[in-house]
Amino acid sequence: IIPVPEGLRKDVTTSLGKGDILFWKDMPFSDGIGSKDAFIIILSEIISETFFIYIRGTSDNKHLYSMPWGKKREIFTIPSGEGNLPKETILDFGFIRHINAKSIFKLLSEDIRHFGKLSENVVNGLTNSIKKAKTIDNRIKDIICESKQSAL
């Protein structure tokens, strides 16, 4: 993997932020078994020049969320076309994660590319849903809710 030059790293850390959508080719599953192309939504500004909080979107598990046990999940739905997303996208708050910023820098030119940005309305709706969520750690909620949206 070719490291991103230092000057570009600074540009990325100041230009990526809350509401940005990244397309990640072959994003590895958290269990380390397999991978899948994915859209991830950045939920925070870069924190201490070290990491971002993000959530992976899904469009092919909608039926799971209509099941009785699925209704207990806290989700937010982004409509098709928003931020260039090709399909309606479900964000399951149980899958909020953080990623080391260096990982994004190393992969940015090869496996990850900037795909789009959510509108201010959608970011505000998502932030309000996160603020009301019962399943998200309060420290994570505070970071997300206090982060400003990246420049549109």
Side-chain angles (χ1 to χ4, degrees):
I1 297 175
I2 301 168
V4 176
E6 189 61 35
L8 182 55
R9 286 183 188 196
K10 288 187 186 342
D11 290 344
V12 170
T13 60
T14 57
S15 64
L16 275 185
K18 187 175 185 176
D20 280 301
I21 303 168
L22 303 177
F23 175 76
W24 190 330
K25 178 128 182 84
D26 295 324
M27 181 181 186
F29 292 130
S30 58
D31 63 7
I33 302 171
S35 64
K36 182 178 181 181
D37 291 353
F39 291 103
I40 62 173
I41 312 297
I42 303 291
L43 296 176
S44 72
E45 300 164 306
I46 190 166
I47 299 154
S48 302
E49 296 187 20
T50 307
F51 68 95
F52 291 99
I53 296 174
Y54 76 92
I55 190 167
R56 181 179 181 162
T58 183
S59 62
D60 59 354
N61 288 329
K62 191 171 185 169
H63 66 282
L64 294 176
Y65 296 100
S66 64
M67 305 292 250
W69 58 266
K71 292 182 191 236
K72 295 177 184 169
R73 307 290 306 190
E74 291 181 298
I75 64 170
F76 184 83
T77 304
I78 300 172
S80 172
E82 173 67 31
N84 298 322
L85 290 168
K87 298 179 181 178
E88 180 179 80
T89 302
I90 297 169
L91 305 178
D92 182 335
F93 294 167
F95 294 102
I96 291 177
R97 304 284 187 264
H98 69 278
I99 186 168
N100 183 305
K102 288 181 182 178
S103 297
I104 289 180
F105 304 144
K106 286 180 182 175
L107 296 168
L108 198 56
S109 60
E110 295 178 18
D111 298 326
I112 300 176
R113 67 180 169 88
H114 191 268
F115 192 80
K117 291 181 182 288
L118 297 177
S119 67
E120 186 175 353
N121 265 357
V122 171
V123 170
N124 289 340
L126 175 57
T127 302
N128 286 332
S129 292
I130 288 170
K131 194 181 293 184
K132 295 174 189 171
K134 306 277 189 243
T135 57
I136 303 172
D137 181 277
N138 285 331
R139 293 171 297 174
I140 299 299
K141 268 195 218 186
D142 290 345
I143 291 169
I144 294 169
C145 292
E146 291 170 11
S147 288
K148 293 177 180 38
Q149 184 174 3
S150 67
L152 292 173

